[in-house]
Amino acid sequence: MCDLKSPQLITLLEEETRDHMFLAYERANWLIFRDAYPQLLLYHFSKLENRPLFRSLDRWGVSQFMIEEWEHFWVEKDGDRLLKALIINEQNVIQEPILKHPLYKKKVFRSLLFWMEECLHFSTVLFPTINGNLYGSSVTSFRNVDARIDFGKRLAHILFHTDLFPHFLLFARKVEHTGSRKDYERFMKKPFYSQTPMLRWAFPIVEHHIHTWRDWSQEAVIKDEWFMDSEPGKSVHLTEWFVQKQIQLQWASLMKKI
């Protein structure tokens, strides 16, 4: 999101376009956090009291699907299934209010810019390390809930990989998160600064409200394939790829100025 305030994207994109993209991702992040926080809080208190308290989640607008999955986890201790359920839930939580919202659908997700982002694989999540290596994966067909669920499972596979997780955890503990790419670019062998500002320098605090809420799981069909494993497949080491993409972005910005 802070890339939207970088010199390159300020040059390439109109302010209105950048504002719409920011609001779409900001709203999606808020909806996911609003949904996930009470779940983890109730799990914490369930452990303290040694009994499941998940029926109370409906007071915070958490789906019936997730209530049942937490109760299943409490009995079966199936962490892999719970992880997939959380991914399934969060992507369905944002489907109607974000991906199908008339404004975001027209101005963001059906725009030529977004189509080009997907084709050029700029829609990528990266996991940094303090040794300068970057790992991650890209998503295409972002508007499709099945594709985003598959993407979430692939990211989880990378994040919790036995060889990689200790490096990601060390970075999270050692490096203060500011929202700027400089947080991890400074550790690269050839430091590469893409000039993304810190979050609080780039955007104000945004207040959100829920006007209407619908339980997605009461209207959707829960697909068996959503619980199947998804592995990254291609190489997940993206350090060199990242450098090339940033160079492409800088060249595009320069050509636009010319």
Side-chain angles (χ1 to χ4, degrees):
M1 288 164 60
C2 292
D3 279 347
L4 294 171
K5 294 290 187 177
S6 68
Q8 292 82 10
L9 290 191
I10 287 176
T11 299
L12 289 169
L13 304 178
E14 298 293 333
E15 183 176 6
E16 181 184 41
T17 300
R18 289 186 285 111
D19 288 345
H20 284 138
M21 293 192 75
F22 166 73
L23 289 173
Y25 289 121
E26 163 69 16
R27 181 70 173 174
N29 287 332
W30 180 80
L31 285 170
I32 291 172
F33 181 83
R34 173 190 175 275
D35 188 77
Y37 180 73
Q39 295 182 51
L40 299 178
L41 197 63
L42 262 292
Y43 176 54
H44 170 71
F45 284 110
S46 294
K47 290 195 296 180
L48 289 179
E49 297 197 17
N50 199 31
R51 63 187 180 93
L53 303 172
F54 306 114
R55 282 291 154 187
S56 300
L57 284 172
D58 60 358
R59 299 178 186 176
W60 284 276
V62 176
S63 68
Q64 185 62 33
F65 167 80
M66 246 1 274
I67 293 173
E68 293 174 1
E69 287 297 328
W70 275 109
E71 292 185 330
H72 180 271
F73 171 74
W74 186 262
V75 175
E76 301 296 334
K77 309 301 181 187
D78 188 344
D80 182 67
R81 180 183 175 91
L82 179 65
L83 173 62
K84 291 172 182 173
L86 289 166
I87 294 170
I88 292 166
N89 183 68
E90 71 175 17
Q91 294 307 325
N92 277 283
V93 161
I94 66 171
Q95 183 67 10
E96 288 292 333
I98 303 297
L99 278 299
K100 293 188 177 181
H101 188 286
L103 176 64
Y104 301 141
K105 184 164 62 173
K106 178 181 179 181
K107 297 292 187 178
V108 178
F109 300 112
R110 286 188 176 176
S111 66
L112 177 61
L113 168 69
F114 196 80
W115 177 79
M116 291 177 65
E117 270 194 348
E118 291 199 327
C119 289
L120 296 174
H121 297 285
F122 276 103
S123 298
T124 301
V125 171
L126 298 173
F127 298 117
T129 65
I130 60 173
N131 62 17
N133 289 321
L134 303 175
Y135 301 86
S137 186
S138 301
V139 61
T140 56
S141 303
F142 188 84
R143 287 177 292 170
N144 185 285
V145 67
D146 295 344
R148 295 199 313 278
I149 290 171
D150 180 72
F151 180 52
K153 291 186 292 183
R154 285 188 282 122
L155 289 176
H157 186 275
I158 299 169
L159 176 61
F160 295 111
H161 190 282
T162 305
D163 296 333
L164 298 177
F165 179 72
H167 297 287
F168 303 147
L169 182 61
L170 180 63
F171 182 92
R173 287 176 170 171
K174 294 289 186 180
V175 180
E176 180 183 1
H177 181 62
T178 70
S180 169
R181 291 193 185 274
K182 292 179 183 177
D183 292 350
Y184 58 83
E185 288 175 337
R186 58 193 169 100
F187 292 105
M188 300 174 74
K189 292 180 179 178
K190 295 181 180 180
F192 189 100
Y193 298 111
S194 52
Q195 297 178 285
T196 54
M198 297 181 183
L199 178 64
R200 284 293 162 249
W201 290 0
F203 299 105
I205 295 175
V206 180
E207 292 189 6
H208 297 270
H209 304 280
I210 289 288
H211 301 290
T212 58
W213 177 81
R214 293 159 60 184
D215 183 348
W216 69 266
S217 66
Q218 300 305 298
E219 302 172 1
V221 176
I222 310 300
K223 301 179 182 180
D224 292 339
E225 66 189 65
W226 288 350
F227 284 98
M228 295 175 65
D229 291 333
S230 295
E231 296 188 2
K234 298 180 181 179
S235 173
V236 299
H237 184 228
L238 300 182
T239 311
E240 293 301 322
W241 172 93
F242 170 78
V243 172
Q244 291 303 314
K245 288 299 176 183
Q246 294 304 308
I247 292 174
Q248 289 176 15
L249 195 60
Q250 290 189 354
W251 272 106
S253 175
L254 178 60
M255 294 300 295
K256 178 72 178 296
K257 288 180 180 180
I258 294 173

